[in-house]
Amino acid sequence: MLQNFVAKSIVWKLAINMPNDSFYILHAIALAERGIYSVHDNPRVGCVIVKEDQIVGEGWHALAGESHAEIIALKQAGENARGATCYITLEPCVHQGKTGPCTPALIQAGIKRVVIATEDPNPQVNEKGVADLRSAGIEVEVGVEAQSAYALNKGFFKRMVLHKPYVRVKLAMSLDGRIALANGISQWITSKDARRDVQFWRARSCAILTSSQTVLDDNPQMTVRDENVLAEIKTLTGQDLKQPRRVVIDTHLRTSPENKIYQVPGDVSVLTTETTPSAAWQQAGIKIIRLPEKKQHVDLHAVMDWLADQHFNEVWVEAGAGLAGALSDANLVDEFIIYVAPKFLGPDAKPLLQLPEIKELPQANNLEFVDYTKIGEDLRFTARVRCSPGLFKQ
């Protein structure tokens, strides 16, 4: 389920004689997309090195802590990098992290020209990579196909600029906007195909956020465990999937260490206002994080700050009407991913969101549909919040 941001653009722009710079940057973005399930906390980056209209090296950042896209492409290009043009989806780094900086490597390799889709919002890098390249006499152009590059890394951009993750809330409902029967039964409103699709969205997220009520009602695992999905991701990326981290908002520690979400392997954190966890929690060895309280619940703005502190770029929310509604009311949602099943559950069934009373239509959430597709027998809509902070309009 790679989103394939660029395939249609490439076909269309080729038909109107697309400039070389756009073509090669879009190719680099397609390469960067291959890291969508594996780099997580880092940005997804692709690089293409071109000499005499021939690609002599290419690479993408596949795993946090391993070689960056530029280094892989330079190694592949070898001596052909000298005098070549390098196309990169994100400004090359200048600082020493888990790997060495890329900007000096480009200079040393003798690259003549660098085309960059977007500057890096990381203050350790921002404009410094461009400045160093230009100081070395390299021609630099920035902003080619910037919107497509941003689309692939909007979580990284938002975290770097606003210290907040990009938040997607998953909703599954009937045609009449209901998420469960009056007795609470909700498995399954949507089809097996829709549930499989959700596994891909989980896999591309840094963290999965849920509520204590969802844990109590459904006892979920919140993992990517469909063997076919895992195999497809490995084929697409060349990497075994590292499970996204799971986070439970449990204000008063109502859940139990015996719940499935805490029993399956992987990193799980519980966000609470309680100061003295019970002996059972302490013995379980589960990470208990105390956050401030607001209106008798964990402060959701503090939750977002904590998620950003963990370097989570994209957060996937799977919860009931309570948490989904609270996040929406607090203006902390960027996108809703909504699965709609062709069935009616009736007026007594549970509603999609719990929201304060809206007395005038202008008070209603200002959303825009940006995508829809048929998933098995269901429909999937992507509704973006119009006031969601971002650097580009798409």
Side-chain angles (χ1 to χ4, degrees), residues 153-338:
N153 280 313
K154 50 193 171 185
F156 176 74
F157 273 79
K158 186 181 177 186
R159 179 170 67 85
M160 284 295 163
V161 175
L162 300 175
H163 196 66
K164 294 285 189 296
Y166 194 89
V167 177
R168 294 184 176 94
V169 173
K170 172 254 181 181
L171 301 169
M173 69 177 193
S174 61
L175 274 175
D176 51 348
R178 305 291 167 164
I179 63 171
L181 299 176
N183 60 12
I185 295 174
S186 62
Q187 297 178 336
W188 298 101
I189 291 176
T190 52
S191 65
K192 184 177 180 180
D193 292 317
R195 298 195 298 276
R196 180 178 184 272
D197 190 65
V198 168
Q199 296 266 306
F200 286 103
W201 284 102
R202 286 181 180 179
R204 66 168 287 168
S205 303
C206 298
I208 300 169
L209 180 67
T210 192
S211 66
S212 58
Q213 193 61 55
T214 296
V215 173
L216 293 171
D217 289 345
D218 300 336
N219 200 19
Q221 296 181 43
M222 294 293 180
T223 56
V224 183
R225 56 189 179 276
D226 185 308
E227 292 297 331
N228 292 328
V229 170
L230 291 170
E232 186 173 335
I233 289 172
K234 185 169 184 178
T235 299
L236 288 167
T237 67
Q239 304 286 336
D240 287 320
L241 177 71
K242 181 181 178 182
Q243 290 287 340
R245 282 154 282 190
R246 290 161 291 155
V247 181
V248 180
I249 299 178
D250 189 351
T251 302
H252 301 299
L253 293 179
R254 298 188 302 143
T255 60
S256 162
E258 299 302 316
N259 285 117
K260 288 180 181 178
I261 196 167
Y262 307 120
Q263 292 294 312
V264 296
D267 191 327
V268 187
S269 298
V270 180
L271 309 184
T272 184
T273 62
E274 294 293 317
T275 57
T276 54
S278 68
W281 281 107
Q282 295 178 39
Q283 292 169 7
I286 298 165
K287 296 177 184 175
I288 307 294
I289 312 297
R290 185 174 181 270
L291 293 180
E293 181 178 317
K294 186 175 182 179
K295 297 181 180 179
Q296 300 181 326
H297 295 280
V298 173
D299 185 339
L300 293 178
H301 288 276
V303 170
M304 294 299 139
D305 287 338
W306 181 84
L307 292 169
D309 287 341
Q310 307 311 301
H311 297 173
F312 295 156
N313 295 324
E314 296 182 7
V315 172
W316 177 255
V317 180
E318 284 194 48
L323 180 56
L327 288 168
S328 178
D329 187 49
N331 296 316
L332 295 174
V333 180
D334 295 290
E335 288 182 357
F336 292 94
I337 308 295
I338 308 167

Side-chain angles (χ1 to χ4, degrees), residues 118-131:
T118 62
E119 292 177 341
D120 191 330
N122 185 341
Q124 291 183 292
V125 181
N126 187 242
E127 298 185 357
K128 297 180 179 70
V130 170

Side-chain angles (χ1 to χ4, degrees), residues 10 14 18-28 55 144-145:
I10 287 177
L14 281 173
M18 177 174 56
N20 278 350
D21 284 354
S22 288
F23 177 81
Y24 289 122
I25 280 288
L26 289 172
H27 180 57
I55 294 176
V144 177
E145 301 296 336

